[in-house]
Amino acid sequence: MEKRTGLFANGIIWFGVAISVSEIEAGIEIGAAAARESLWLPLVLGHIFGGILLFFVGLIGARVRLNAMETTKSTFGKYGSKFFAALNTFQLLAWVAVLNAQGASALAGLNLPISFPLTCVILAALIAAWVYVGIRRSANVTTVVMAALTILLAILSVKLFGLGNGSGAVASAAGANATALKFWNIFEISIAMPISWLPVISDYTKDAEKPLKATAISAIAYTVASLWMYIIGIEISGIGAGNNIAQAILLAGLGIPGIIIVVLSTVTTNFLAANSAGESSKAIYSKINPKIAGVVVSFLSAALAISGIMEHYISFLYLIASVFAPMAAVLLVSFYFSKDRTESLGVWLWNIFAWLAGFIAYQVAEHFDSVFLGPTLLAVIVSAAFASVRVLSERKISNF
């Protein structure tokens, strides 16, 4: 009998996904360029909407017992599924590299006697080892690691609020850049993180013992932890640490604990991304061993991290959203409202068109400052609308 994951295990996995340097960096981005009194509503709304999308996308994998990219087959056909699997594999490789570089940069700021390239390689080796061991065999270790990381981050949070007098000092946001980020800009940065995990979540909910509850706990755990990381980033932007995570850790008086936070948060998040890259590669070619592919991705990410990919971090987040937000919209409409599971040529070609329409809408909207609804919501609405046209016509034919 196949072993399934319980509610606690799924919650731990997705709580750990959100605890990362990248989430804190996104919070810093918002806190450094937005008026403090106006950032909370779009920040929370972006996370809530992103969490809802995570839930419904993850529930598909939990119900059909397929990994994230395999769930797209009935919507986009065999080749459409492989297309998105290839895109997902490459974006996860780049994502692991970005997270690796961010972790290595933070560690460099803590004055460790190790070069940036060597740090990237060490982090990649830790990630590869965890991928090879696997989730189930490392479940107890993961629980202990997440418990330790949560305690250390709680201590860091308390110290940061103390440095900011509990109000999120407005040092960096009160200057000339205070109005640089408007409502929809903040919403976009807030939703970008949960969107980046849409093509991943079913890789883990597919093994859940209780599909509905496990998916709900996964989405809630991620949303809560992600908001926490963003808030930490916002606090760092206001304490005079130069928007630098390492400097903030030093100001908070956390030496070795700070190093542990950076290393563990980098490895726990990157492990999931590298592991999912292996799952996606399996969807491209079924004979690929996902563990081996995940290990290869881990080490390739070190090379990309060293090459300077972190300089394109925010642009990369937007690119992920432009691809996978409209994909998720079409997938959701097709799965929950369509009765056609035939993978027929006409069906998946129309769905590819619906995705492309949303992708183009995102790319166009991104070039306009503070466009109403923001690029992500606009892309989701456009793709969902086109996908709905096919579903409605299908129902009319069936009722005729």
Side-chain angles (χ1 to χ4, degrees):
M1 183 178 179
E2 187 177 355
K3 186 178 179 182
R4 299 293 184 186
T5 54
L7 301 181
F8 180 75
N10 279 275
I12 286 290
I13 287 171
W14 284 92
F15 191 83
V17 167
I19 294 182
S20 72
V21 172
S22 62
E23 303 263 351
I24 297 174
E25 290 278 6
I28 291 174
E29 180 83 11
I30 292 173
R36 196 60 57 102
E37 64 275 7
S38 64
L39 62 80
W40 300 111
L41 180 59
L43 176 72
V44 173
L45 286 179
H47 274 81
I48 290 175
F49 186 73
I52 290 171
L53 285 177
L54 269 177
F55 169 75
F56 283 108
V57 170
L59 187 59
I60 294 175
R63 285 182 171 174
V64 299
R65 301 298 186 189
L66 294 173
N67 72 31
M69 291 298 100
E70 289 171 340
T71 62
T72 65
K73 191 174 179 181
S74 63
T75 298
F76 297 104
K78 176 182 177 181
Y79 296 107
S81 176
K82 289 182 183 294
F83 168 71
F84 285 111
L87 288 180
N88 196 37
T89 301
F90 285 118
Q91 75 95 358
L92 285 170
L93 168 60
W95 193 220
V96 175
V98 167
L99 298 176
N100 193 326
Q102 287 178 329
S105 294
L107 288 171
L110 293 174
N111 302 317
L112 291 183
I114 307 175
S115 67
F116 175 81
L118 181 57
T119 305
C120 288
V121 172
I122 291 172
L123 289 173
L126 290 173
I127 296 160
W130 204 332
V131 169
Y132 190 76
V133 171
I135 292 178
R136 292 188 181 90
R137 286 192 289 173
S138 63
N140 292 334
V141 175
T142 302
T143 301
V144 172
V145 166
M146 289 312 306
L149 193 50
T150 301
I151 292 170
L152 290 173
L153 281 166
I155 294 171
L156 175 62
S157 300
V158 171
K159 288 183 175 290
L160 288 176
F161 273 93
L163 289 171
N165 297 318
S167 60
V170 293
S172 60
N177 292 328
T179 57
L181 291 182
K182 305 293 193 304
F183 183 97
W184 292 112
N185 299 130
I186 299 168
F187 179 91
E188 201 63 31
I189 297 174
S190 178
I191 198 175
M193 283 297 181
I195 289 293
S196 71
W197 294 107
L198 286 178
V200 169
I201 186 168
S202 286
D203 293 342
Y204 305 97
T205 56
K206 68 181 176 67
D207 297 319
E209 184 179 352
K210 298 178 180 179
L212 181 63
K213 290 182 179 179
T215 306
I217 286 176
S218 297
I220 292 170
Y222 174 84
T223 302
V224 170
S226 179
L227 264 173
W228 182 18
M229 295 306 103
Y230 271 67
I231 291 170
I232 288 177
I234 290 167
E235 286 302 309
I236 288 175
S237 72
I239 63 172
N243 297 332
N244 185 287
I245 293 174
Q247 187 61 33
I249 288 173
L250 293 175
L251 282 175
L254 298 178
I256 293 177
I259 294 171
I260 294 172
I261 288 173
V262 173
V263 171
L264 292 185
S265 62
T266 301
V267 173
T268 53
T269 304
N270 261 351
F271 154 67
L272 268 294
N275 190 67
S276 284
E279 289 287 339
S280 289
S281 64
K282 179 185 174 185
I284 301 171
Y285 184 61
S286 60
K287 293 185 179 180
I288 290 178
N289 184 321
K291 278 191 177 183
I292 300 301
V295 169
V296 171
V297 164
S298 300
F299 284 109
L300 285 177
S301 72
L304 271 179
I306 295 167
S307 71
I309 192 173
M310 194 174 67
E311 297 172 7
H312 310 287
Y313 170 53
I314 294 297
S315 297
F316 176 63
L317 273 181
Y318 290 158
L319 179 61
I320 295 174
S322 71
V323 171
F324 292 107
M327 184 208 78
V330 178
L331 177 64
L332 291 172
V333 170
S334 297
F335 182 84
Y336 289 107
F337 300 104
S338 175
K339 297 178 181 179
D340 192 339
R341 296 283 188 271
T342 61
E343 300 173 33
S344 65
L345 181 64
V347 168
W348 73 259
L349 280 179
W350 179 263
N351 285 337
I352 286 286
F353 172 75
W355 165 78
L356 184 61
F359 175 78
I360 293 172
Y362 188 105
Q363 295 299 323
V364 172
E366 191 184 359
H367 290 85
F368 294 91
D369 185 46
S370 297
V371 65
F372 180 66
L373 295 179
T376 297
L377 264 184
L378 185 62
V380 166
I381 292 171
V382 168
S383 286
F386 276 102
S388 297
V389 169
R390 185 191 65 77
V391 173
L392 290 173
S393 63
E394 168 195 312
R395 290 186 175 182
K396 285 182 180 179
I397 292 172
S398 64
N399 292 331
F400 181 70

